[in-house]
Amino acid sequence: MENWHLPITIVPGLGGLLILSTSNLMVTLSNEISGMIENSKKKVITAKKLKQLKLLNMAMVFFYVAVALLLVSAVINGLYEVGKTSLYTSVLAIVFALIGLISLVTFSFRAVTIRQNQFQNKID
């Protein structure tokens, strides 16, 4: 019971920074897609960007679940003596956060490739 607050200490970094930066990426990408749809000349790149938006959304969901599990873990550990349940919940939260981070890494690699394709199309 003395360390019940430890899972909550992770929440500002995970919840605050990662979710905020990912949601900013989503807004920027949504605005870019909206502009591309209006022009409707670059359907292939627009389709790729829509897939990117889905990937960002998936990362956000994993981050939300991770934050929720960390909060639940702290409450379980603070209120009840249930053995290792809180530890398992925290580990599960970390797994969800890692999946979200892997999604962001994938997004980053794909975003660079899409940008290169856009620049190459402008050159040609």
Side-chain angles (χ1 to χ4, degrees):
M1 181 118 145
E2 69 248 6
N3 295 325
W4 67 269
H5 61 282
L6 288 179
I8 293 177
T9 60
I10 300 171
V11 171
L14 180 66
L17 297 176
L18 287 175
I19 291 175
L20 180 65
S21 66
T22 306
S23 62
N24 285 337
L25 283 171
M26 284 183 66
V27 169
T28 303
L29 186 59
S30 293
N31 291 338
E32 191 175 343
I33 291 170
S34 178
M36 291 178 83
I37 288 174
E38 288 175 9
N39 294 338
S40 70
K41 294 177 184 175
K42 303 167 185 163
K43 293 183 180 182
V44 173
I45 292 178
T46 304
K48 288 181 181 180
K49 287 189 178 271
L50 285 170
K51 288 181 184 178
Q52 287 289 88
L53 189 62
K54 185 176 179 181
L55 188 61
L56 276 179
N57 185 44
M58 186 175 67
M60 290 283 289
V61 169
F62 284 120
F63 291 146
Y64 289 147
V65 171
V67 168
L69 287 171
L70 286 170
L71 294 174
V72 167
S73 173
V75 169
I76 288 171
N77 202 13
L79 296 178
Y80 308 107
E81 293 289 328
V82 288
K84 296 198 182 254
T85 303
S86 176
L87 174 67
Y88 295 144
T89 308
S90 295
V91 169
L92 187 61
I94 292 169
V95 167
F96 274 95
L98 286 174
I99 294 170
L101 287 171
I102 290 169
S103 299
L104 284 181
V105 168
T106 304
F107 168 82
S108 296
F109 282 120
R110 288 182 184 173
V112 169
T113 303
I114 291 170
R115 262 309 160 212
Q116 288 174 337
N117 289 343
Q118 283 180 301
F119 291 143
Q120 192 64 34
N121 288 342
K122 284 186 179 185
I123 291 172
D124 294 339

